[in-house]
Amino acid sequence: MAVKKPRDPQDVSYTWPVIFAVAVHLLIVLISVIHWPEGDAEPDSSSIVQATLVRTDAYTDQAPQANDQSAAMEAADETAEEPVVDTQSEDEEAAEQAQAAEEQAEREAAEAEAQALEEARAEAEAEAQRRQEEAEALAERQREAEQQRRQEEAEAEQRREAEEQRRQEEAEAEAQRQREAEEQRQQEEAEAEAQRQREAEEQRRQEEAEAEAERQREAEAEAEREREAEQQRRQEEAEAEAQRQREAEEQQRLQAEAEAAMQRQLEGEAQAAAEARQAAQAANSFLTIVKRAVEQAWIIPSEAGDSMSATLQVRLGPSGEVLATSVVSSSGNNTFDRSAMQAVEHAAPFGELRELPTEQQRNLRQFNLRFTPGDVR
C-alpha cells in the first residue's frame, strides 16, 4: 500500500495574505488621494462628502467608525443647507476639520491595515497549525494502520504456525497409530502362529497316541490270534489220531479242499494287488488335486526366476487341514519360500483326504511338494 507523504506544516502558502495586504495598501492610497472641495465665496448648495471605502467582509470592526463618518457627513450636509457666511474663518475652520478628518481616516486605515496584517498572520499561523495537526493526525493514523497491519500479519503468522503445528501433531499421531496397529497386527500374527504350532503339536501327539494305541490293539489281536492258533494246534494234535483214521476216507476231500483253498488264496492275492493298484491311483489322484490347488493359490514373487526351486514337507490332519509346513529344500530366497508356504495354507483344507480309505489316509497325511515357477507359468 502506497503511503502518502505528509505535508510539511512549515510549507504554508502566503499568496492570499500577500494579495490581501496589497489590497489594503491600495485602499489606503485611494483614501489619501480623495479631498473635499474647498469652499468658495459663494458656495453652492452641494454637500461636503467624504468617501471612505471599507471591506465589510474583511474588517467588521470598522462599522462604528463608518457610522461616525456618516453622522459627520450628515451634519456637514445640514450645515451646507444653511446660508453660508462668506467669511475667511469659516473656510479655514472647514479646512482644518477636513484635514483632521483625513488624518483620522489615515490613522484608522493604518490601524485597520495593522489589524488586518495581524489577523492575516494569525490566520496563517492557525492555518499552519491546522495543517500541522492534520499532518500529525494523518501520520498518527498511518502509524496506527501500519501497526494494525503488522499486528494482523503477526496474528496471521501465529495462526499459520499453529495450523502447521496442529497438522504436524496430527501426522505424528497418525504415524503413531499406524505403528501401534502394525505392532498389534504382528503380535496377533505371532500369537496365531504360536497357537497353530501348539495345535499342530497337540494334534501330532494325539495322532501318535492313537497310532500307539492302534499298534497295541493290533499286537493284542495278534497275540490273541497266536493263542487261538496254539490252542487250535493242540486241539488238532489231540484230534490227529482220530483224523489219521479218517484220512484214508477223506484224502480225496482234503485234497479237493486244499486245491480250493489254493484257488482262494490266489484270488485273494490278485484282489490285494488290484486294491494296491487302486490305492496307488487314489494317492496319485489326491496328490494331483493338492498340487493343482496349491498352484492356483500360489502367488509367485516378481523376483522369482524359472530356475528357482523349493521343496516343502506338508503334514495334514484327519480332515485335510494343514497342521504344519516346513522347508525341506530352500530356494535361497526367503520371499520365495514364504510364498510357497502361504500357497499351501491358502489352498487348504484338502477335504478329498476323507474320501480315501483309512489306511491310505494315514499314508497321505504327510508328503512333500516341490515348487518351481517354470512348471507353473
Side-chain angles (χ1 to χ4, degrees), residues 1-24:
M1 182 180 66
V3 180
K4 186 178 180 182
K5 182 179 180 181
R7 186 175 181 182
D8 189 0
Q10 296 181 357
D11 187 12
V12 181
S13 177
Y14 291 96
T15 303
W16 288 108
V18 171
I19 294 173
F20 181 74
V22 172
V24 172

mmCIF file with all atom_site columns, all heavy atoms in Angstrom, residues 1-24:
data_model
loop_
_atom_site.group_PDB
_atom_site.id
_atom_site.type_symbol
_atom_site.label_atom_id
_atom_site.label_alt_id
_atom_site.label_comp_id
_atom_site.label_asym_id
_atom_site.label_entity_id
_atom_site.label_seq_id
_atom_site.pdbx_PDB_ins_code
_atom_site.Cartn_x
_atom_site.Cartn_y
_atom_site.Cartn_z
_atom_site.occupancy
_atom_site.B_iso_or_equiv
_atom_site.pdbx_formal_charge
_atom_site.auth_seq_id
_atom_site.auth_comp_id
_atom_site.auth_asym_id
_atom_site.auth_atom_id
_atom_site.pdbx_PDB_model_num
ATOM 1   N N   . MET A 1 1  ? 0.850  -1.180 0.000  1.00 0.00 ? 1  MET A N   1
ATOM 2   C CA  . MET A 1 1  ? 0.000  0.000  0.000  1.00 0.00 ? 1  MET A CA  1
ATOM 3   C C   . MET A 1 1  ? 0.886  1.231  0.000  1.00 0.00 ? 1  MET A C   1
ATOM 4   O O   . MET A 1 1  ? 1.778  1.365  0.842  1.00 0.00 ? 1  MET A O   1
ATOM 5   C CB  . MET A 1 1  ? -0.921 0.014  1.225  1.00 0.00 ? 1  MET A CB  1
ATOM 6   C CG  . MET A 1 1  ? -1.863 1.225  1.235  1.00 0.00 ? 1  MET A CG  1
ATOM 7   S SD  . MET A 1 1  ? -2.922 1.207  2.688  1.00 0.00 ? 1  MET A SD  1
ATOM 8   C CE  . MET A 1 1  ? -1.708 1.449  3.963  1.00 0.00 ? 1  MET A CE  1
ATOM 9   N N   . ALA A 1 2  ? 0.676  2.151  -0.954 1.00 0.00 ? 2  ALA A N   1
ATOM 10  C CA  . ALA A 1 2  ? 1.483  3.359  -1.030 1.00 0.00 ? 2  ALA A CA  1
ATOM 11  C C   . ALA A 1 2  ? 1.073  4.307  0.074  1.00 0.00 ? 2  ALA A C   1
ATOM 12  O O   . ALA A 1 2  ? -0.105 4.559  0.301  1.00 0.00 ? 2  ALA A O   1
ATOM 13  C CB  . ALA A 1 2  ? 1.319  4.018  -2.386 1.00 0.00 ? 2  ALA A CB  1
ATOM 14  N N   . VAL A 1 3  ? 2.067  4.880  0.746  1.00 0.00 ? 3  VAL A N   1
ATOM 15  C CA  . VAL A 1 3  ? 1.813  5.807  1.860  1.00 0.00 ? 3  VAL A CA  1
ATOM 16  C C   . VAL A 1 3  ? 2.034  7.211  1.358  1.00 0.00 ? 3  VAL A C   1
ATOM 17  O O   . VAL A 1 3  ? 3.103  7.538  0.821  1.00 0.00 ? 3  VAL A O   1
ATOM 18  C CB  . VAL A 1 3  ? 2.747  5.504  3.049  1.00 0.00 ? 3  VAL A CB  1
ATOM 19  C CG1 . VAL A 1 3  ? 2.473  6.474  4.173  1.00 0.00 ? 3  VAL A CG1 1
ATOM 20  C CG2 . VAL A 1 3  ? 2.538  4.078  3.507  1.00 0.00 ? 3  VAL A CG2 1
ATOM 21  N N   . LYS A 1 4  ? 1.022  8.061  1.481  1.00 0.00 ? 4  LYS A N   1
ATOM 22  C CA  . LYS A 1 4  ? 1.128  9.440  1.054  1.00 0.00 ? 4  LYS A CA  1
ATOM 23  C C   . LYS A 1 4  ? 2.012  10.209 2.009  1.00 0.00 ? 4  LYS A C   1
ATOM 24  O O   . LYS A 1 4  ? 1.837  10.145 3.204  1.00 0.00 ? 4  LYS A O   1
ATOM 25  C CB  . LYS A 1 4  ? -0.278 10.055 0.996  1.00 0.00 ? 4  LYS A CB  1
ATOM 26  C CG  . LYS A 1 4  ? -0.249 11.466 0.422  1.00 0.00 ? 4  LYS A CG  1
ATOM 27  C CD  . LYS A 1 4  ? -1.668 12.011 0.340  1.00 0.00 ? 4  LYS A CD  1
ATOM 28  C CE  . LYS A 1 4  ? -1.660 13.422 -0.241 1.00 0.00 ? 4  LYS A CE  1
ATOM 29  N NZ  . LYS A 1 4  ? -3.013 13.985 -0.295 1.00 0.00 ? 4  LYS A NZ  1
ATOM 30  N N   . LYS A 1 5  ? 2.988  10.881 1.418  1.00 0.00 ? 5  LYS A N   1
ATOM 31  C CA  . LYS A 1 5  ? 3.934  11.640 2.251  1.00 0.00 ? 5  LYS A CA  1
ATOM 32  C C   . LYS A 1 5  ? 3.221  12.811 2.893  1.00 0.00 ? 5  LYS A C   1
ATOM 33  O O   . LYS A 1 5  ? 2.549  13.587 2.233  1.00 0.00 ? 5  LYS A O   1
ATOM 34  C CB  . LYS A 1 5  ? 5.089  12.117 1.377  1.00 0.00 ? 5  LYS A CB  1
ATOM 35  C CG  . LYS A 1 5  ? 6.146  12.862 2.168  1.00 0.00 ? 5  LYS A CG  1
ATOM 36  C CD  . LYS A 1 5  ? 7.277  13.290 1.251  1.00 0.00 ? 5  LYS A CD  1
ATOM 37  C CE  . LYS A 1 5  ? 8.342  14.042 2.032  1.00 0.00 ? 5  LYS A CE  1
ATOM 38  N NZ  . LYS A 1 5  ? 9.443  14.487 1.161  1.00 0.00 ? 5  LYS A NZ  1
ATOM 39  N N   . PRO A 1 6  ? 3.288  12.915 4.245  1.00 0.00 ? 6  PRO A N   1
ATOM 40  C CA  . PRO A 1 6  ? 2.602  14.033 4.917  1.00 0.00 ? 6  PRO A CA  1
ATOM 41  C C   . PRO A 1 6  ? 3.218  15.364 4.523  1.00 0.00 ? 6  PRO A C   1
ATOM 42  O O   . PRO A 1 6  ? 4.427  15.485 4.312  1.00 0.00 ? 6  PRO A O   1
ATOM 43  C CB  . PRO A 1 6  ? 2.808  13.715 6.409  1.00 0.00 ? 6  PRO A CB  1
ATOM 44  C CG  . PRO A 1 6  ? 4.018  12.881 6.443  1.00 0.00 ? 6  PRO A CG  1
ATOM 45  C CD  . PRO A 1 6  ? 4.010  12.080 5.191  1.00 0.00 ? 6  PRO A CD  1
ATOM 46  N N   . ARG A 1 7  ? 2.355  16.354 4.418  1.00 0.00 ? 7  ARG A N   1
ATOM 47  C CA  . ARG A 1 7  ? 2.806  17.696 4.012  1.00 0.00 ? 7  ARG A CA  1
ATOM 48  C C   . ARG A 1 7  ? 3.493  18.385 5.167  1.00 0.00 ? 7  ARG A C   1
ATOM 49  O O   . ARG A 1 7  ? 3.084  18.274 6.308  1.00 0.00 ? 7  ARG A O   1
ATOM 50  C CB  . ARG A 1 7  ? 1.597  18.505 3.548  1.00 0.00 ? 7  ARG A CB  1
ATOM 51  C CG  . ARG A 1 7  ? 1.979  19.858 2.960  1.00 0.00 ? 7  ARG A CG  1
ATOM 52  C CD  . ARG A 1 7  ? 0.759  20.559 2.421  1.00 0.00 ? 7  ARG A CD  1
ATOM 53  N NE  . ARG A 1 7  ? 1.117  21.848 1.834  1.00 0.00 ? 7  ARG A NE  1
ATOM 54  C CZ  . ARG A 1 7  ? 0.225  22.694 1.316  1.00 0.00 ? 7  ARG A CZ  1
ATOM 55  N NH1 . ARG A 1 7  ? -1.060 22.337 1.289  1.00 0.00 ? 7  ARG A NH1 1
ATOM 56  N NH2 . ARG A 1 7  ? 0.611  23.827 0.795  1.00 0.00 ? 7  ARG A NH2 1
ATOM 57  N N   . ASP A 1 8  ? 4.582  19.050 4.821  1.00 0.00 ? 8  ASP A N   1
ATOM 58  C CA  . ASP A 1 8  ? 5.348  19.761 5.844  1.00 0.00 ? 8  ASP A CA  1
ATOM 59  C C   . ASP A 1 8  ? 4.508  20.899 6.390  1.00 0.00 ? 8  ASP A C   1
ATOM 60  O O   . ASP A 1 8  ? 3.981  21.726 5.635  1.00 0.00 ? 8  ASP A O   1
ATOM 61  C CB  . ASP A 1 8  ? 6.640  20.291 5.229  1.00 0.00 ? 8  ASP A CB  1
ATOM 62  C CG  . ASP A 1 8  ? 7.565  20.854 6.292  1.00 0.00 ? 8  ASP A CG  1
ATOM 63  O OD1 . ASP A 1 8  ? 7.171  20.819 7.461  1.00 0.00 ? 8  ASP A OD1 1
ATOM 64  O OD2 . ASP A 1 8  ? 8.671  21.314 5.923  1.00 0.00 ? 8  ASP A OD2 1
ATOM 65  N N   . PRO A 1 9  ? 4.313  20.945 7.744  1.00 0.00 ? 9  PRO A N   1
ATOM 66  C CA  . PRO A 1 9  ? 3.493  22.021 8.321  1.00 0.00 ? 9  PRO A CA  1
ATOM 67  C C   . PRO A 1 9  ? 4.068  23.395 8.017  1.00 0.00 ? 9  PRO A C   1
ATOM 68  O O   . PRO A 1 9  ? 3.340  24.382 7.991  1.00 0.00 ? 9  PRO A O   1
ATOM 69  C CB  . PRO A 1 9  ? 3.504  21.711 9.823  1.00 0.00 ? 9  PRO A CB  1
ATOM 70  C CG  . PRO A 1 9  ? 3.808  20.263 9.900  1.00 0.00 ? 9  PRO A CG  1
ATOM 71  C CD  . PRO A 1 9  ? 4.717  19.987 8.757  1.00 0.00 ? 9  PRO A CD  1
ATOM 72  N N   . GLN A 1 10 ? 5.400  23.519 7.791  1.00 0.00 ? 10 GLN A N   1
ATOM 73  C CA  . GLN A 1 10 ? 6.001  24.820 7.531  1.00 0.00 ? 10 GLN A CA  1
ATOM 74  C C   . GLN A 1 10 ? 5.805  25.275 6.089  1.00 0.00 ? 10 GLN A C   1
ATOM 75  O O   . GLN A 1 10 ? 6.090  26.415 5.752  1.00 0.00 ? 10 GLN A O   1
ATOM 76  C CB  . GLN A 1 10 ? 7.498  24.754 7.846  1.00 0.00 ? 10 GLN A CB  1
ATOM 77  C CG  . GLN A 1 10 ? 7.781  24.489 9.332  1.00 0.00 ? 10 GLN A CG  1
ATOM 78  C CD  . GLN A 1 10 ? 9.257  24.444 9.620  1.00 0.00 ? 10 GLN A CD  1
ATOM 79  O OE1 . GLN A 1 10 ? 10.055 24.553 8.685  1.00 0.00 ? 10 GLN A OE1 1
ATOM 80  N NE2 . GLN A 1 10 ? 9.585  24.308 10.874 1.00 0.00 ? 10 GLN A NE2 1
ATOM 81  N N   . ASP A 1 11 ? 5.374  24.301 5.229  1.00 0.00 ? 11 ASP A N   1
ATOM 82  C CA  . ASP A 1 11 ? 5.168  24.648 3.824  1.00 0.00 ? 11 ASP A CA  1
ATOM 83  C C   . ASP A 1 11 ? 3.809  25.318 3.672  1.00 0.00 ? 11 ASP A C   1
ATOM 84  O O   . ASP A 1 11 ? 2.829  24.706 3.263  1.00 0.00 ? 11 ASP A O   1
ATOM 85  C CB  . ASP A 1 11 ? 5.266  23.383 2.971  1.00 0.00 ? 11 ASP A CB  1
ATOM 86  C CG  . ASP A 1 11 ? 5.235  23.737 1.501  1.00 0.00 ? 11 ASP A CG  1
ATOM 87  O OD1 . ASP A 1 11 ? 5.367  24.921 1.178  1.00 0.00 ? 11 ASP A OD1 1
ATOM 88  O OD2 . ASP A 1 11 ? 5.073  22.801 0.683  1.00 0.00 ? 11 ASP A OD2 1
ATOM 89  N N   . VAL A 1 12 ? 3.695  26.595 4.068  1.00 0.00 ? 12 VAL A N   1
ATOM 90  C CA  . VAL A 1 12 ? 2.435  27.355 4.087  1.00 0.00 ? 12 VAL A CA  1
ATOM 91  C C   . VAL A 1 12 ? 2.447  28.342 2.924  1.00 0.00 ? 12 VAL A C   1
ATOM 92  O O   . VAL A 1 12 ? 3.452  29.021 2.685  1.00 0.00 ? 12 VAL A O   1
ATOM 93  C CB  . VAL A 1 12 ? 2.253  28.099 5.428  1.00 0.00 ? 12 VAL A CB  1
ATOM 94  C CG1 . VAL A 1 12 ? 0.945  28.855 5.424  1.00 0.00 ? 12 VAL A CG1 1
ATOM 95  C CG2 . VAL A 1 12 ? 2.297  27.092 6.560  1.00 0.00 ? 12 VAL A CG2 1
ATOM 96  N N   . SER A 1 13 ? 1.338  28.391 2.192  1.00 0.00 ? 13 SER A N   1
ATOM 97  C CA  . SER A 1 13 ? 1.234  29.340 1.072  1.00 0.00 ? 13 SER A CA  1
ATOM 98  C C   . SER A 1 13 ? 0.889  30.733 1.597  1.00 0.00 ? 13 SER A C   1
ATOM 99  O O   . SER A 1 13 ? -0.048 30.899 2.378  1.00 0.00 ? 13 SER A O   1
ATOM 100 C CB  . SER A 1 13 ? 0.164  28.848 0.099  1.00 0.00 ? 13 SER A CB  1
ATOM 101 O OG  . SER A 1 13 ? -0.008 29.778 -0.936 1.00 0.00 ? 13 SER A OG  1
ATOM 102 N N   . TYR A 1 14 ? 1.633  31.711 1.157  1.00 0.00 ? 14 TYR A N   1
ATOM 103 C CA  . TYR A 1 14 ? 1.402  33.120 1.569  1.00 0.00 ? 14 TYR A CA  1
ATOM 104 C C   . TYR A 1 14 ? 0.786  33.933 0.434  1.00 0.00 ? 14 TYR A C   1
ATOM 105 O O   . TYR A 1 14 ? 0.823  35.161 0.442  1.00 0.00 ? 14 TYR A O   1
ATOM 106 C CB  . TYR A 1 14 ? 2.714  33.769 1.989  1.00 0.00 ? 14 TYR A CB  1
ATOM 107 C CG  . TYR A 1 14 ? 3.278  33.207 3.271  1.00 0.00 ? 14 TYR A CG  1
ATOM 108 C CD1 . TYR A 1 14 ? 4.228  32.218 3.254  1.00 0.00 ? 14 TYR A CD1 1
ATOM 109 C CD2 . TYR A 1 14 ? 2.801  33.658 4.493  1.00 0.00 ? 14 TYR A CD2 1
ATOM 110 C CE1 . TYR A 1 14 ? 4.734  31.694 4.419  1.00 0.00 ? 14 TYR A CE1 1
ATOM 111 C CE2 . TYR A 1 14 ? 3.305  33.135 5.670  1.00 0.00 ? 14 TYR A CE2 1
ATOM 112 C CZ  . TYR A 1 14 ? 4.271  32.157 5.643  1.00 0.00 ? 14 TYR A CZ  1
ATOM 113 O OH  . TYR A 1 14 ? 4.765  31.635 6.798  1.00 0.00 ? 14 TYR A OH  1
ATOM 114 N N   . THR A 1 15 ? 0.233  33.268 -0.558 1.00 0.00 ? 15 THR A N   1
ATOM 115 C CA  . THR A 1 15 ? -0.319 34.007 -1.709 1.00 0.00 ? 15 THR A CA  1
ATOM 116 C C   . THR A 1 15 ? -1.471 34.898 -1.294 1.00 0.00 ? 15 THR A C   1
ATOM 117 O O   . THR A 1 15 ? -1.494 36.113 -1.592 1.00 0.00 ? 15 THR A O   1
ATOM 118 C CB  . THR A 1 15 ? -0.765 33.003 -2.772 1.00 0.00 ? 15 THR A CB  1
ATOM 119 O OG1 . THR A 1 15 ? 0.349  32.191 -3.139 1.00 0.00 ? 15 THR A OG1 1
ATOM 120 C CG2 . THR A 1 15 ? -1.274 33.736 -4.016 1.00 0.00 ? 15 THR A CG2 1
ATOM 121 N N   . TRP A 1 16 ? -2.454 34.294 -0.641 1.00 0.00 ? 16 TRP A N   1
ATOM 122 C CA  . TRP A 1 16 ? -3.638 35.099 -0.261 1.00 0.00 ? 16 TRP A CA  1
ATOM 123 C C   . TRP A 1 16 ? -3.323 36.174 0.766  1.00 0.00 ? 16 TRP A C   1
ATOM 124 O O   . TRP A 1 16 ? -3.831 37.296 0.649  1.00 0.00 ? 16 TRP A O   1
ATOM 125 C CB  . TRP A 1 16 ? -4.723 34.174 0.261  1.00 0.00 ? 16 TRP A CB  1
ATOM 126 C CG  . TRP A 1 16 ? -5.353 33.362 -0.835 1.00 0.00 ? 16 TRP A CG  1
ATOM 127 C CD1 . TRP A 1 16 ? -5.198 32.055 -1.069 1.00 0.00 ? 16 TRP A CD1 1
ATOM 128 C CD2 . TRP A 1 16 ? -6.217 33.858 -1.858 1.00 0.00 ? 16 TRP A CD2 1
ATOM 129 N NE1 . TRP A 1 16 ? -5.890 31.653 -2.173 1.00 0.00 ? 16 TRP A NE1 1
ATOM 130 C CE2 . TRP A 1 16 ? -6.549 32.764 -2.690 1.00 0.00 ? 16 TRP A CE2 1
ATOM 131 C CE3 . TRP A 1 16 ? -6.738 35.114 -2.188 1.00 0.00 ? 16 TRP A CE3 1
ATOM 132 C CZ2 . TRP A 1 16 ? -7.374 32.870 -3.793 1.00 0.00 ? 16 TRP A CZ2 1
ATOM 133 C CZ3 . TRP A 1 16 ? -7.584 35.216 -3.285 1.00 0.00 ? 16 TRP A CZ3 1
ATOM 134 C CH2 . TRP A 1 16 ? -7.890 34.117 -4.087 1.00 0.00 ? 16 TRP A CH2 1
ATOM 135 N N   . PRO A 1 17 ? -2.486 35.938 1.775  1.00 0.00 ? 17 PRO A N   1
ATOM 136 C CA  . PRO A 1 17 ? -2.137 37.068 2.677  1.00 0.00 ? 17 PRO A CA  1
ATOM 137 C C   . PRO A 1 17 ? -1.460 38.210 1.939  1.00 0.00 ? 17 PRO A C   1
ATOM 138 O O   . PRO A 1 17 ? -1.719 39.393 2.235  1.00 0.00 ? 17 PRO A O   1
ATOM 139 C CB  . PRO A 1 17 ? -1.213 36.402 3.688  1.00 0.00 ? 17 PRO A CB  1
ATOM 140 C CG  . PRO A 1 17 ? -1.629 34.994 3.715  1.00 0.00 ? 17 PRO A CG  1
ATOM 141 C CD  . PRO A 1 17 ? -2.005 34.685 2.322  1.00 0.00 ? 17 PRO A CD  1
ATOM 142 N N   . VAL A 1 18 ? -0.576 37.923 0.953  1.00 0.00 ? 18 VAL A N   1
ATOM 143 C CA  . VAL A 1 18 ? 0.100  38.991 0.188  1.00 0.00 ? 18 VAL A CA  1
ATOM 144 C C   . VAL A 1 18 ? -0.915 39.782 -0.610 1.00 0.00 ? 18 VAL A C   1
ATOM 145 O O   . VAL A 1 18 ? -0.888 41.032 -0.656 1.00 0.00 ? 18 VAL A O   1
ATOM 146 C CB  . VAL A 1 18 ? 1.183  38.373 -0.711 1.00 0.00 ? 18 VAL A CB  1
ATOM 147 C CG1 . VAL A 1 18 ? 1.740  39.432 -1.677 1.00 0.00 ? 18 VAL A CG1 1
ATOM 148 C CG2 . VAL A 1 18 ? 2.320  37.814 0.117  1.00 0.00 ? 18 VAL A CG2 1
ATOM 149 N N   . ILE A 1 19 ? -1.835 39.037 -1.289 1.00 0.00 ? 19 ILE A N   1
ATOM 150 C CA  . ILE A 1 19 ? -2.869 39.739 -2.068 1.00 0.00 ? 19 ILE A CA  1
ATOM 151 C C   . ILE A 1 19 ? -3.716 40.619 -1.161 1.00 0.00 ? 19 ILE A C   1
ATOM 152 O O   . ILE A 1 19 ? -4.057 41.774 -1.498 1.00 0.00 ? 19 ILE A O   1
ATOM 153 C CB  . ILE A 1 19 ? -3.733 38.717 -2.826 1.00 0.00 ? 19 ILE A CB  1
ATOM 154 C CG1 . ILE A 1 19 ? -2.883 37.995 -3.891 1.00 0.00 ? 19 ILE A CG1 1
ATOM 155 C CG2 . ILE A 1 19 ? -4.919 39.393 -3.500 1.00 0.00 ? 19 ILE A CG2 1
ATOM 156 C CD1 . ILE A 1 19 ? -3.606 36.862 -4.578 1.00 0.00 ? 19 ILE A CD1 1
ATOM 157 N N   . PHE A 1 20 ? -4.042 40.067 0.020  1.00 0.00 ? 20 PHE A N   1
ATOM 158 C CA  . PHE A 1 20 ? -4.868 40.848 0.951  1.00 0.00 ? 20 PHE A CA  1
ATOM 159 C C   . PHE A 1 20 ? -4.124 42.107 1.411  1.00 0.00 ? 20 PHE A C   1
ATOM 160 O O   . PHE A 1 20 ? -4.699 43.200 1.488  1.00 0.00 ? 20 PHE A O   1
ATOM 161 C CB  . PHE A 1 20 ? -5.230 39.970 2.140  1.00 0.00 ? 20 PHE A CB  1
ATOM 162 C CG  . PHE A 1 20 ? -6.113 40.670 3.149  1.00 0.00 ? 20 PHE A CG  1
ATOM 163 C CD1 . PHE A 1 20 ? -7.461 40.899 2.871  1.00 0.00 ? 20 PHE A CD1 1
ATOM 164 C CD2 . PHE A 1 20 ? -5.601 41.107 4.344  1.00 0.00 ? 20 PHE A CD2 1
ATOM 165 C CE1 . PHE A 1 20 ? -8.260 41.527 3.802  1.00 0.00 ? 20 PHE A CE1 1
ATOM 166 C CE2 . PHE A 1 20 ? -6.402 41.740 5.261  1.00 0.00 ? 20 PHE A CE2 1
ATOM 167 C CZ  . PHE A 1 20 ? -7.747 41.953 5.007  1.00 0.00 ? 20 PHE A CZ  1
ATOM 168 N N   . ALA A 1 21 ? -2.838 42.013 1.687  1.00 0.00 ? 21 ALA A N   1
ATOM 169 C CA  . ALA A 1 21 ? -2.059 43.174 2.135  1.00 0.00 ? 21 ALA A CA  1
ATOM 170 C C   . ALA A 1 21 ? -1.967 44.231 1.041  1.00 0.00 ? 21 ALA A C   1
ATOM 171 O O   . ALA A 1 21 ? -2.077 45.448 1.290  1.00 0.00 ? 21 ALA A O   1
ATOM 172 C CB  . ALA A 1 21 ? -0.665 42.729 2.561  1.00 0.00 ? 21 ALA A CB  1
ATOM 173 N N   . VAL A 1 22 ? -1.755 43.801 -0.230 1.00 0.00 ? 22 VAL A N   1
ATOM 174 C CA  . VAL A 1 22 ? -1.689 44.749 -1.358 1.00 0.00 ? 22 VAL A CA  1
ATOM 175 C C   . VAL A 1 22 ? -3.010 45.482 -1.508 1.00 0.00 ? 22 VAL A C   1
ATOM 176 O O   . VAL A 1 22 ? -3.064 46.694 -1.754 1.00 0.00 ? 22 VAL A O   1
ATOM 177 C CB  . VAL A 1 22 ? -1.310 43.990 -2.638 1.00 0.00 ? 22 VAL A CB  1
ATOM 178 C CG1 . VAL A 1 22 ? -1.439 44.923 -3.855 1.00 0.00 ? 22 VAL A CG1 1
ATOM 179 C CG2 . VAL A 1 22 ? 0.123  43.475 -2.546 1.00 0.00 ? 22 VAL A CG2 1
ATOM 180 N N   . ALA A 1 23 ? -4.128 44.723 -1.367 1.00 0.00 ? 23 ALA A N   1
ATOM 181 C CA  . ALA A 1 23 ? -5.446 45.367 -1.485 1.00 0.00 ? 23 ALA A CA  1
ATOM 182 C C   . ALA A 1 23 ? -5.652 46.406 -0.395 1.00 0.00 ? 23 ALA A C   1
ATOM 183 O O   . ALA A 1 23 ? -6.211 47.491 -0.641 1.00 0.00 ? 23 ALA A O   1
ATOM 184 C CB  . ALA A 1 23 ? -6.538 44.299 -1.429 1.00 0.00 ? 23 ALA A CB  1
ATOM 185 N N   . VAL A 1 24 ? -5.200 46.108 0.823  1.00 0.00 ? 24 VAL A N   1
ATOM 186 C CA  . VAL A 1 24 ? -5.347 47.083 1.926  1.00 0.00 ? 24 VAL A CA  1
ATOM 187 C C   . VAL A 1 24 ? -4.529 48.345 1.636  1.00 0.00 ? 24 VAL A C   1
ATOM 188 O O   . VAL A 1 24 ? -4.983 49.483 1.846  1.00 0.00 ? 24 VAL A O   1
ATOM 189 C CB  . VAL A 1 24 ? -4.929 46.431 3.248  1.00 0.00 ? 24 VAL A CB  1
ATOM 190 C CG1 . VAL A 1 24 ? -4.878 47.485 4.349  1.00 0.00 ? 24 VAL A CG1 1
ATOM 191 C CG2 . VAL A 1 24 ? -5.922 45.346 3.625  1.00 0.00 ? 24 VAL A CG2 1
#
